[in-house]
Amino acid sequence: MAFFLSSLTNKLPMIISMILLLLMSLFDCELAVATTGSGCDRRCGDIDIPYPFGTSEGCYLANDTYREENFLLTCTNDSMLSWDKVIRNDSILISQINVSAGHVKTLFPNIAENCYNESGQTLETTAGSFVVSTTENKFTVLGCDTYGQMSHIQNNMTFYSACTSYCASETNVKDGKCDGLGCCQVPISQNTQRVDNSVLSYYNHTKVFNFNPCGYAFIADTSVYKFSTKHLKKMPTMEERPIVLEWAISNKTCREAEKDTQTFACIGQNTVCLDVENGVGYRCICSDGYNGNPYLDGCKDTNECNDPKLNECVKICKDRNGGYECSCPWGYHGNGRKSGTGCSRAFPLVAIIVLSTAIGITSLFMVLIWVYHLVNKRNLKKLREKFFQKNGGFMLRNQLSSSQGSSSSETVQIFTAVELEEATDRYSKANILGEGGFGTVYKGVLPNKKVVAVKVSKNMQRGQVEQFMSGEKKGQVEEFINEVIILSQVNHRHIVKLLGCCLETEVPLLVYEYISNGTLHDHIHSKNDKTSSHLMSWENRFRIASETANAISYLHSSASIPIIHRDIKSTNILLDEKYVAKVSDFGASRLVSIDTMELSTMVQGTLGYLDPEYLQTSQLTDKSDVYSFGVILAELLTGRSVLRFDCEDQKDKNLATYFLSALKNNRLAEILEDNILKEESFDRIKEVANVTKMCLRVRGEDRPSMKEVAMELEGLRLSGKHPWMKDDNEETECLIDVTLETSNSYEFGDKRTIEMGYHSTQKQIGYPTSMGR
């Protein structure tokens, strides 16, 4: 053994030189393309010998510059294939040749060994250098006390790679794992021209001698070599650790070699020339879908259909030039490939006919729906244009154009039906702010992010609509437009602002500013609301009452045309984020001439707030709003609902009669909200109660005007007293009992009503004028 190692070590320099000449020296001279006769042997035992390699003259690729032995191999006893004469009298055994990859798998004793014997001597040997494949091989070190080093030369510069393997016992080591316990590996760099392996032991293996007497360092094909614990006692054989060598044709690139057609080694149109990545030179391969020897007879189309390893088709395979195609027979569906959907049996013919018929009918139905939608959309557009014209849209637009620069042109906006549908999410239920007898109010967000309230009025009866749309009351349209402009000019900090309207619907939609904090009714009667508890202090109640009185007074006496609200109630008084009062819901309001004292109309309003004189006579005056405001004052003072049906005494069911009865019997302190007397003196509260009593007088002419009420409340806030306020001892006139009969034919106000505001949540009713006194 020692003699063999010594002999091998002496020959290493020559071995290194010969392998470099064989594999890395690329040819500068012309290549003589050999002819291959029928007598060429292409197998040696179980090993194929493809061209450009061969075992006899004329069977391998030869050249005039380097030795013919570059591709000349020797087959010994028809079983051992080797490169003979390449390394003097030594042979490199070959186990496999791969033409397309340019690889030759060899069995070569390239191992560095370090062992400890009983005499304590260390034996070392260093394997020779050669050109190896950097993608197929790795530098491997075995041992439990071993340091392995690999030196390699690139461009006349030497580089080193190394790794160390440790293990304390055999139990730490696992077969197949080369992770540093008993075995470690490092990759090999590209373009390496020479490799030298060396190995040493830190403790001469004395600590692990019983199971690991030696350490080894070698280069091996990682697809073949698998680490085993037995290799710690005995080095692996050459068959267990083959090396993959790389070769190339010539020392030219493909571009350079293609210029000389006589020496260019790649044959045929379907052959591809590739520059080698590891070293210099080129190799030839077949294009995808073709096979054969690119150096001998060129590449031919591969019939994948005849090769079960290449053919993925499950049913029908058709060979194509450079590939193949899979398909399914009639009655099946799929892509026909094993790796795809394969071929599955389709529906029977009857099912196909039924399915096709269903698809056709469905398609026709979809086309009809599309046509219907298109026609309906066009008709809707025409209908909206008709409504816009009938509702006075052009008239309003002309008036706004003629008054450019005025406040109305700056505030009134004409919205389209589509704009309001998008703003309210197509009038989603989630956006409903309030519902009442005159319509529903929705929260909307305009494209400019401005939040608004959209009032959708309930439709008029069919006959009224037809009469209105037929033009029999053309003056009504003009009056409506004028009223919209007038109401848009109502600009008071305690009145909800009209922003614009939409005239493309059967009944016009009105758009108002959005008030965010609910209604006065909610805050009075929501006992569990912490915010309401804070809001409903005496000072807040008094302030809200004064602000509301100012707003109604403005409508009666300061607006360009006096406006009677006709539905004053706590649900129509909104509160903003700072709890400032805003009068809203002008769904039953009427514009009246300054010189008009009374107006005969359909009785409208809300039970509990309705003026009894108006209920009897149908004669609407501004004093009707005064009465309704008096009910709100009573509601603020008592915290009681305007109608209660759980009372035994008939008079106690109505808040107005209940309040007046308490005043008459000196029981005011008993009916007040609990916390009011804690916050305010009884005398001042009694003064407000007297204002309430005067507003609730049965005869309208005996009631003060809203302007007087507003001034009195403001005076009381400043601890003053108005001259007309006096505590007369007259017995308060009894309220007129009116039996209210429910009817399914209630009307919702005159068609000229301008709806300003929202949050009308109590039931609205209308009484015919025939019920008058």
Side-chain angles (χ1 to χ4, degrees):
M1 179 65 178
F3 174 78
F4 172 76
L5 293 174
S6 176
S7 175
L8 182 61
T9 302
N10 294 334
K11 295 179 179 180
L12 284 177
M14 183 61 69
I15 293 174
I16 293 169
S17 301
M18 298 305 295
I19 293 179
L20 288 173
L21 289 174
L22 171 65
L23 298 176
M24 295 300 295
S25 300
L26 304 175
F27 311 134
D28 291 326
C29 61
E30 293 183 352
L31 295 175
V33 180
T35 59
T36 56
S38 58
C40 294
D41 294 329
R42 290 300 171 197
R43 289 185 65 84
C44 179
D46 296 332
I47 305 172
D48 291 329
I49 310 174
Y51 190 81
F53 294 91
T55 57
S56 59
E57 186 176 355
C59 296
Y60 59 90
L61 184 63
N63 63 75
D64 297 332
T65 302
Y66 298 106
R67 295 179 306 163
E68 296 179 352
E69 289 84 351
N70 285 334
F71 295 101
L72 176 61
L73 306 178
T74 300
C75 182
T76 305
N77 296 328
D78 295 331
S79 61
M80 183 180 295
L81 185 64
S82 63
W83 263 316
D84 203 10
K85 299 180 183 179
V86 171
I87 308 174
R88 289 191 176 182
N89 296 323
D90 295 328
S91 297
I92 300 176
L93 298 181
I94 296 176
S95 61
Q96 186 181 42
I97 300 174
N98 188 326
V99 174
S100 60
H103 293 166
V104 176
K105 189 170 292 187
T106 67
L107 306 178
F108 186 72
N110 74 108
I111 191 166
E113 181 180 15
N114 180 288
C115 295
Y116 176 77
N117 57 18
E118 295 180 359
S119 61
Q121 295 178 349
T122 299
L123 303 176
E124 283 193 37
T125 181
T126 303
S129 63
F130 41 79
V131 176
V132 299
S133 171
T134 59
T135 58
E136 305 297 319
N137 305 296
K138 282 188 178 180
F139 176 64
T140 305
V141 176
L142 300 181
C144 286
D145 178 22
T146 307
Y147 170 82
Q149 178 178 283
M150 173 183 65
S151 63
H152 47 92
I153 299 175
Q154 295 184 16
N155 300 324
N156 296 323
M157 297 181 66
T158 303
F159 298 88
Y160 297 90
S161 298
C163 71
T164 303
S165 63
Y166 289 100
C167 54
S169 64
E170 291 183 87
T171 58
N172 299 123
V173 185
K174 294 184 179 180
D175 290 342
K177 296 190 68 176
C178 197
D179 56 0
L181 291 176
C183 174
C184 64
Q185 291 180 326
V186 293
I188 299 172
S189 302
Q190 285 190 343
N191 301 320
T192 299
Q193 300 175 355
R194 172 175 175 153
V195 177
D196 290 325
N197 300 334
S198 62
V199 64
L200 59 84
S201 171
Y202 292 105
Y203 302 101
N204 293 329
H205 300 279
T206 55
K207 294 185 178 183
V208 290
F209 178 74
N210 58 335
F211 69 91
N212 179 224
C214 299
Y216 309 101
F218 54 88
I219 296 173
D221 180 4
T222 55
S223 66
V224 177
Y225 177 72
K226 304 300 178 185
F227 170 66
S228 173
T229 54
K230 68 179 182 180
H231 296 158
L232 297 176
K233 297 180 179 180
K234 181 181 180 181
M235 70 176 178
T237 63
M238 288 190 298
E239 288 78 8
E240 292 176 312
R241 50 178 177 78
I243 304 174
V244 178
L245 307 179
E246 293 189 3
W247 54 273
I249 304 295
S250 179
N251 64 346
K252 300 178 182 179
T253 64
C254 291
R255 188 173 182 179
E256 294 170 343
E258 287 173 350
K259 295 178 180 180
D260 190 346
T261 57
Q262 297 298 321
T263 60
F264 186 52
C266 301
I267 298 176
Q269 295 181 350
N270 300 314
T271 302
V272 179
C273 179
L274 295 177
D275 294 326
V276 297
E277 296 181 358
N278 189 16
V280 295
Y282 70 92
R283 284 194 296 270
C284 308
I285 63 171
C286 292
S287 303
D288 292 339
Y290 296 87
N291 63 0
N293 192 314
Y295 302 101
L296 183 61
D297 50 8
C299 302
K300 300 178 178 58
D301 176 56
T302 302
N303 191 341
E304 293 87 354
C305 295
N306 295 334
D307 190 342
K309 295 181 180 179
L310 301 176
N311 176 14
E312 279 199 343
C313 298
V314 295
K315 290 292 183 180
I316 301 174
C317 179
K318 292 183 180 180
D319 184 54
R320 294 285 184 261
N321 196 21
Y324 67 102
E325 183 180 281
C326 299
S327 60
C328 296
W330 189 90
Y332 290 81
H333 64 89
N335 63 5
R337 291 182 176 269
K338 298 175 184 177
S339 59
T341 58
C343 291
S344 302
R345 184 177 292 278
F347 292 111
L349 181 60
V350 175
I352 294 175
I353 295 175
V354 172
L355 182 62
S356 300
T357 304
I359 293 174
I361 294 174
T362 303
S363 301
L364 178 61
F365 182 70
M366 295 300 292
V367 170
L368 292 176
I369 291 178
W370 179 78
V371 172
Y372 172 79
H373 176 73
L374 192 64
V375 173
N376 191 49
K377 186 176 180 181
R378 185 176 60 183
N379 292 339
L380 179 60
K381 183 179 179 181
K382 290 183 177 179
L383 182 61
R384 285 174 174 172
E385 292 176 353
K386 181 180 179 181
F387 283 141
F388 185 80
Q389 181 180 3
K390 291 292 186 180
N391 287 334
F394 297 109
M395 185 187 305
L396 177 59
R397 185 180 294 169
N398 292 335
Q399 289 196 29
L400 294 178
S401 299
S402 62
S403 60
Q404 282 187 350
S406 66
S407 60
S408 62
S409 62
E410 295 173 353
T411 57
V412 176
Q413 181 177 351
I414 300 177
F415 295 92
T416 66
V418 174
E419 286 177 330
L420 297 186
E421 285 178 0
E422 294 176 351
T424 59
D425 192 17
R426 303 188 67 82
Y427 301 102
S428 168
K429 291 184 178 180
N431 287 330
I432 293 179
L433 296 174
E435 294 182 274
F438 295 101
T440 304
V441 182
Y442 296 86
K443 180 180 179 181
V445 181
L446 300 178
N448 62 0
K449 306 303 180 183
K450 181 179 179 65
V451 183
V452 297
V454 181
K455 179 69 174 288
V456 181
S457 300
K458 290 185 177 180
N459 288 340
M460 294 178 284
Q461 295 179 9
R462 176 55 57 187
Q464 292 174 320
V465 173
E466 292 176 354
Q467 185 183 41
F468 181 74
M469 299 301 294
S470 66
E472 294 181 15
K473 295 188 178 181
K474 294 182 180 179
Q476 195 169 314
V477 175
E478 184 175 355
E479 181 180 350
F480 168 77
I481 296 304
N482 290 333
E483 291 180 358
V484 167
I485 294 178
I486 291 171
L487 290 176
S488 67
Q489 295 174 354
V490 172
N491 189 11
H492 193 277
R493 66 187 303 265
H494 298 304
I495 297 178
V496 176
K497 179 67 177 175
L498 175 67
L499 301 178
C501 61
C502 173
L503 305 175
E504 294 180 349
T505 54
E506 190 173 37
V507 177
L509 309 180
L510 300 176
V511 181
Y512 304 91
E513 64 172 320
Y514 173 69
I515 309 300
S516 62
N517 210 11
T519 69
L520 177 60
H521 180 276
D522 295 336
H523 289 279
I524 292 175
H525 302 290
S526 298
K527 301 296 184 181
N528 296 326
D529 190 341
K530 295 181 180 180
T531 304
S532 297
S533 177
H534 167 71
L535 169 65
M536 287 297 103
S537 64
W538 169 250
E539 289 301 327
N540 280 332
R541 292 171 189 252
F542 201 179
R543 176 181 54 78
I544 291 172
S546 178
E547 290 171 348
T548 304
N550 283 326
I552 302 173
S553 173
Y554 171 84
L555 293 175
H556 288 182
S557 57
S558 299
S560 58
I561 295 180
I563 301 172
I564 301 175
H565 189 287
R566 204 161 42 161
D567 195 22
I568 297 293
K569 56 185 177 181
S570 59
T571 53
N572 286 341
I573 299 173
L574 309 182
L575 302 177
D576 66 11
E577 64 279 0
K578 296 182 180 179
Y579 301 102
V580 174
K582 299 270 189 176
V583 177
S584 69
D585 204 342
F586 288 73
S589 63
R590 292 302 306 268
L591 301 181
V592 295
S593 301
I594 296 176
D595 56 352
T596 300
M597 298 300 295
E598 294 181 344
L599 184 66
S600 180
T601 68
M602 183 75 63
V603 175
Q604 294 182 353
T606 302
L607 286 177
Y609 297 92
L610 198 60
D611 175 12
E613 184 177 57
Y614 171 47
L615 182 62
Q616 289 292 314
T617 65
S618 298
Q619 298 299 315
L620 177 66
T621 69
D622 57 353
K623 298 298 180 70
S624 299
D625 285 349
V626 175
Y627 181 88
S628 300
F629 178 74
V631 178
I632 291 178
L633 286 178
E635 196 174 357
L636 284 168
L637 287 169
T638 64
R640 177 188 170 106
S641 298
V642 294
L643 291 176
R644 291 183 61 174
F645 299 99
D646 57 348
C647 300
E648 295 181 2
D649 192 338
Q650 187 71 20
K651 294 181 179 179
D652 292 344
K653 292 183 179 181
N654 184 284
L655 176 60
T657 59
Y658 173 77
F659 183 83
L660 292 174
S661 176
L663 284 182
K664 178 180 179 181
N665 297 312
N666 295 319
R667 293 189 299 107
L668 175 61
E670 298 176 14
I671 67 172
L672 294 176
E673 183 79 62
D674 294 339
N675 62 330
I676 291 180
L677 283 175
K678 299 177 184 179
E679 301 178 21
E680 186 57 79
S681 67
F682 183 73
D683 289 339
R684 193 174 182 210
I685 295 173
K686 189 174 181 180
E687 292 173 348
V688 177
N690 286 331
V691 175
T692 306
K693 180 183 70 173
M694 299 182 71
C695 291
L696 294 176
R697 286 174 172 167
V698 175
R699 296 176 57 189
E701 61 185 23
D702 294 336
R703 302 169 198 156
S705 68
M706 277 309 305
K707 185 174 183 180
E708 291 174 319
V709 173
M711 292 175 63
E712 178 64 22
L713 291 178
E714 187 64 28
L716 289 177
R717 289 186 67 190
L718 300 175
S719 299
K721 213 168 189 182
H722 199 275
W724 61 262
M725 269 297 301
K726 59 179 184 294
D727 188 7
D728 56 25
N729 293 320
E730 291 183 18
E731 183 177 341
T732 304
E733 298 179 73
C734 296
L735 294 174
I736 302 174
D737 292 331
V738 179
T739 303
L740 306 179
E741 296 181 357
T742 305
S743 172
N744 293 327
S745 61
Y746 295 152
E747 296 188 31
F748 299 101
D750 193 286
K751 290 183 286 297
R752 292 177 294 170
T753 296
I754 305 302
E755 302 179 7
M756 285 188 58
Y758 50 95
H759 290 291
S760 181
T761 57
Q762 297 188 16
K763 182 176 178 66
Q764 311 276 344
I765 65 168
Y767 295 100
T769 56
S770 60
M771 290 185 64
R773 221 185 302 183

